[in-house]
Amino acid sequence: MLQTYDPRNDDIQVWINGELTHRLEARISPFDSLAQGGDGVWEGLRLTRGRIFKLSEHLLRLRRSARAMAFSDIPSDEFMTQAIRECLAANGMRDDVHIRLTLSRGVKVTSGMDPRLNQSGPTLIVLAEFKSPVYDDSGITLITAAQRRPRADMLDPKIHHNNLIPSILAKVEANNAGADDALMLDDVGFIAETNATHFFHVRDGVLRTSTTKACPEGITRATVLELAADLGLPVDVGDFSLTDAHTADEAFVTGTMGGITPVVSLDGRPIERGPVTQQLAKAYADLQATSGTVVVG
């Protein structure tokens, strides 16, 4: 299992709508939209040396996701940033921290799906944990899941929502197969992403990745594409099949939880670690170590 319990988190405080509560006592209402229907949006943030990498971009995506779902009274970036600061200060956190920022439609006056039952504004949750990157330089193994990613006309991946059932089902497939994670295809069989990260592969020196037709507009993914341009690496964003991935010269995944992580095998086929992956991983690590919004002095 890639993640385990970290005892540094024994007594962390969770920020929920302005109140800080011990992790064992933190609660949301059973009438909250998250409990009623997974009706929420979220972001994963990484705190390194007092700074959050790409905070503005994450808050923008969260606000856009909430607007797409017709949430009312969406908190401002300033409010959410202050909530994060309060949570980090309460926990004495400055480094090696992952923050899960969640915004639900809020508490309903009675159980039900109708958003008109939400009459008291959204619920904002800041959950900060000491958590080292889930993946490391040793790389991960993937299998291809039977579970598919939906198209934009089914459930638009541009909305970063809390309905993670397809990802969970794909992860179950990976667990049962003894792999670290699962590669997921779109409805017509092209590569979308993994159950938790975006997928890149390299062929003849060209960096390739999927379009965002069936995967979120990943912030780490966008950063990698920017770094590739800075490094003068040729890039191809398009539709790629499993055959492309099975015969790749290199492959890696990207995400807030692990930065850039090599893929060492896919469906039992070994994949070499190569120079493009190493070059991008170093550039990403350097950028993350030297940039970001200061939230802890």
Side-chain angles (χ1 to χ4, degrees):
M1 187 164 65
L2 295 172
Q3 298 192 61
T4 57
Y5 180 71
D6 188 331
R8 292 180 296 173
N9 297 313
D10 281 353
D11 294 309
I12 58 171
Q13 303 281 314
V14 182
W15 191 104
I16 302 176
N17 275 357
E19 294 188 4
L20 284 157
T21 311
H22 188 277
R23 60 174 294 160
L24 298 180
E25 299 172 351
R27 300 285 186 274
I28 63 169
S29 167
F31 292 98
D32 195 280
S33 296
L34 281 176
Q36 290 286 318
D39 188 5
V41 296
W42 69 282
E43 290 292 325
L45 312 169
R46 178 149 287 280
L47 176 73
T48 304
R49 300 173 188 169
R51 292 183 293 201
I52 296 178
F53 187 61
K54 299 285 183 181
L55 176 60
S56 297
E57 289 82 349
H58 281 286
L59 294 180
L60 176 61
R61 185 170 66 177
L62 184 138
R63 290 174 59 78
R64 283 178 173 167
S65 296
R67 287 177 59 196
M69 291 175 64
F71 281 18
S72 60
D73 302 323
I74 302 170
S76 66
D77 287 4
E78 292 75 18
F79 183 89
M80 289 189 282
T81 302
Q82 182 58 29
I84 292 168
R85 286 194 172 105
E86 291 174 9
C87 186
L88 295 174
N91 290 299
M93 293 171 165
R94 188 174 186 277
D95 192 34
D96 199 27
V97 172
H98 181 267
I99 303 163
R100 191 176 180 99
L101 181 68
T102 303
L103 182 71
S104 88
R105 196 182 298 274
V107 177
K108 295 178 177 294
V109 294
T110 184
S111 61
M113 180 186 66
D114 192 337
R116 292 174 296 182
L117 298 174
N118 293 83
Q119 299 175 14
S120 58
T123 300
L124 181 65
I125 303 169
V126 184
L127 173 59
E129 295 178 275
F130 290 106
K131 183 174 287 192
S132 299
V134 172
Y135 310 113
D136 59 32
D137 294 339
S138 62
I140 61 170
T141 59
L142 299 178
I143 56 97
T144 302
Q147 183 71 33
R148 300 295 181 99
R149 283 285 186 222
R151 302 189 308 254
D153 61 343
M154 299 173 178
L155 185 57
D156 196 336
K158 287 185 172 61
I159 302 174
H160 208 236
H161 52 75
N162 280 71
N163 185 342
L164 301 181
I165 299 302
S167 296
I168 293 168
L169 291 175
K171 181 66 173 176
V172 169
E173 292 186 52
N175 292 346
N176 290 340
D180 292 317
D181 273 332
L183 187 65
M184 300 180 71
L185 309 179
D186 64 19
D187 63 306
V188 293
F190 291 118
I191 294 168
E193 60 171 344
T194 79
N195 56 279
T197 55
H198 286 84
F199 181 83
F200 288 75
H201 68 280
V202 178
R203 168 76 66 78
D204 298 329
V206 178
L207 181 65
R208 296 166 146 191
T209 195
S210 309
T211 70
T212 55
K213 287 188 296 188
C215 67
E217 294 177 318
I219 291 166
T220 308
R221 171 186 178 276
T223 302
V224 169
L225 292 175
E226 292 168 3
L227 289 172
D230 293 343
L231 294 169
L233 297 173
V235 175
D236 187 1
V237 177
D239 292 328
F240 300 102
S241 69
L242 267 181
T243 299
D244 293 312
H246 285 158
T247 58
D249 300 323
E250 306 173 36
F252 61 88
V253 295
T254 67
T256 303
M257 293 290 281
I260 295 177
T261 305
V263 175
V264 296
S265 78
L266 171 60
D267 297 326
R269 297 165 174 83
I271 301 176
E272 298 290 332
R273 303 180 201 203
V276 173
T277 304
Q278 294 173 6
Q279 191 177 12
L280 284 167
K282 181 180 184 309
Y284 182 84
D286 290 345
L287 180 65
Q288 189 180 40
T290 56
S291 62
T293 301
V294 176
V295 292
V296 180

